[in-house]
Amino acid sequence: MLVTAAAASLLGGCEGDSAGGAGETSRGGCPSVRGRAQAAVIRAEQTDVPWNGPTTGPAATSGKSLVYVAQTMINPGVAGAAKGVREAARAIGWNVRVIDGAGTPAGIQAAMSEAVALKPSGIVIGGFDPDSTSRQVARANAEGIPLIGWHAVAAPGPSRRPELFTNVTTRVEDVADISAQWIIAHSGGRAGVVLITDASIPFAKHKSELIRKELATCPGVRLLSYENIPIADASNRTRWEISTLLSRFRGRWTHSVAINDLYFADAAPAFRAAGRKGSGPPFNVGAGDGDPSAFQRVDSRQYQSATVPEPLTLQGWQIVDEFNRAFSGRPASGYVAPVHISTAENSQGATSWDPSGYQEAYRTIWGR
């Protein structure tokens, strides 16, 4: 496997005295924790990981139709998964319709109602809580329309309440852990961290609590502030909050982690106004979907050092394969994509994380 320059630097950069590393002291440095973090980050930064998903399954069924109900197509993660579903549907020979919920409760409920009324072969719940459309979900279940979620519930795999054939997502525990481990490894076990979350979203709050727990395994990593900025208010509040934190913590603030990349788009003007360099410190990692704008900030070293992206196109193909298993009376595949970290050193100018091998594997399974 390819070991990137960034990964190699983690192995040798832990004894320096810069913001990216510090020598051992009695108060921190956490050599054993740091060693595990370094190993995890090196694995997650690999870009030539062989396909570890399903290689067997039912041949393609024919004449199927899907409706992808999107929380909002403005959300890059939701839109990226929809793109993957469309690509895979063309490959297997099915029809797909996307209905945009426009990001409002009323819009999402109307979109789900329309989807059920169309009586498709299957419905994708794209990035919203199925409980927010419980009546429509119940109707689909009663009519025998299989539902597959993308980031619909907290855990990957089948769900009984709500009833989903499966839910496609990475494990929140893996995303949270690797985000914190990147900070531990990058800082050499000595960091002052600001953690940004949206406590109004249970999934996001859970993720940030897991990040905080993992950061706490290294005594030399200090959580300076745990900021609650609702995503809906991020464009208005983030710049002011960042300016306040910069005045408060000054040089003690070396790293940041946010539950979604979008916070760093809104934070950039405040960092710039304060005269901070785009390459850091603070060194910022987004534990989010890995949208194109995040990749652009990472690649250009403009106020974001890393992102933990979802393989959105792959997940769209997986959704189609899972439907094919449902239509064939087979169980869900159980596949969960491994966690990945993208940095300027390993992304090679890409604007998404799109591992290799999955399209060929799924086409072989389907006989297409």
Side-chain angles (χ1 to χ4, degrees):
M1 293 183 180
L2 173 66
V3 177
T4 66
S9 70
L10 289 171
L11 291 174
C14 298
E15 303 304 325
D17 57 4
S18 69
E24 301 281 65
T25 74
S26 59
R27 295 176 55 193
C30 57
S32 61
V33 172
R34 195 179 66 211
R36 290 194 297 272
Q38 290 166 352
V41 169
I42 288 171
R43 286 193 301 271
E45 287 186 332
Q46 305 309 313
T47 58
D48 60 347
V49 179
W51 170 244
N52 68 338
T55 56
T56 61
T61 54
S62 59
K64 301 300 182 181
S65 62
L66 304 178
V67 174
Y68 185 105
V69 180
Q71 180 258 346
T72 171
M73 289 296 281
I74 294 175
N75 183 318
V78 172
K83 175 178 176 289
V85 169
R86 283 172 164 150
E87 286 185 6
R90 285 195 296 270
I92 203 171
W94 298 348
N95 294 317
V96 177
R97 178 172 177 178
V98 175
I99 304 177
D100 191 346
T104 67
I108 293 168
Q109 289 175 7
M112 271 296 286
S113 294
E114 182 180 353
V116 176
L118 289 170
K119 299 186 182 299
S121 307
I123 297 173
V124 183
I125 296 178
F128 60 91
D129 182 356
D131 288 338
S132 68
T133 58
S134 57
R135 287 189 302 168
Q136 293 88 343
V137 166
R139 283 176 51 203
N141 293 157
E143 295 180 21
I145 302 172
L147 303 175
I148 290 179
W150 179 84
H151 286 216
V153 293
S159 171
R160 294 190 64 184
R161 294 184 180 180
E163 187 177 333
L164 305 178
F165 180 75
T166 195
N167 180 54
V168 176
T169 181
T170 51
R171 291 187 180 89
V172 65
E173 296 86 357
D174 294 343
V175 173
D177 284 352
I178 202 65
S179 302
Q181 288 164 342
W182 184 87
I183 291 174
I184 293 168
H186 185 268
S187 69
R190 298 285 299 184
V193 183
V194 169
L195 170 55
I196 305 173
T197 191
D198 182 344
S200 69
I201 302 174
F203 180 82
K205 184 178 180 181
H206 178 53
K207 184 193 293 185
S208 59
E209 288 295 330
L210 291 170
I211 292 171
R212 178 159 70 169
K213 181 179 178 181
E214 183 64 21
L215 289 172
T217 63
C218 182
V221 174
R222 304 298 177 88
L223 184 61
L224 301 176
S225 184
Y226 190 12
E227 294 293 312
N228 174 32
I229 304 176
I231 287 175
D233 297 335
S235 60
N236 296 321
R237 284 186 50 188
T238 303
R239 183 171 182 172
W240 180 83
E241 296 283 1
I242 294 298
S243 296
T244 300
L245 292 168
L246 285 168
S247 297
R248 180 180 174 190
F249 296 117
R250 301 184 182 276
R252 288 187 291 154
W253 181 5
T254 66
H255 291 75
S256 314
V257 56
I259 54 93
N260 194 292
D261 293 298
L262 65 83
Y263 289 105
F264 297 122
D266 296 318
F271 287 129
R272 192 174 291 111
R276 295 300 182 98
K277 294 181 179 179
S279 56
F283 303 96
N284 304 317
V285 55
D289 294 338
D291 64 82
S293 67
F295 273 85
Q296 291 165 5
R297 288 190 297 276
V298 169
D299 290 340
S300 60
R301 294 178 170 85
Q302 289 298 302
Y303 306 104
Q304 188 167 347
S305 299
T307 182
V308 183
E310 297 275 347
L312 299 172
T313 305
L314 181 160
Q315 290 175 334
W317 280 68
Q318 181 186 349
I319 287 168
V320 169
D321 181 68
E322 302 290 5
F323 272 121
N324 193 53
R325 293 170 192 269
F327 300 150
S328 304
R330 304 280 286 274
S333 72
Y335 176 65
V336 180
V339 72
H340 178 72
I341 297 176
S342 289
T343 65
E345 287 77 11
N346 71 352
S347 67
Q348 299 177 329
T351 57
S352 65
W353 166 230
D354 193 29
S356 62
Y358 66 90
Q359 295 187 19
E360 296 83 354
Y362 283 129
R363 285 180 179 274
T364 298
I365 291 171
W366 302 336
R368 299 296 192 188

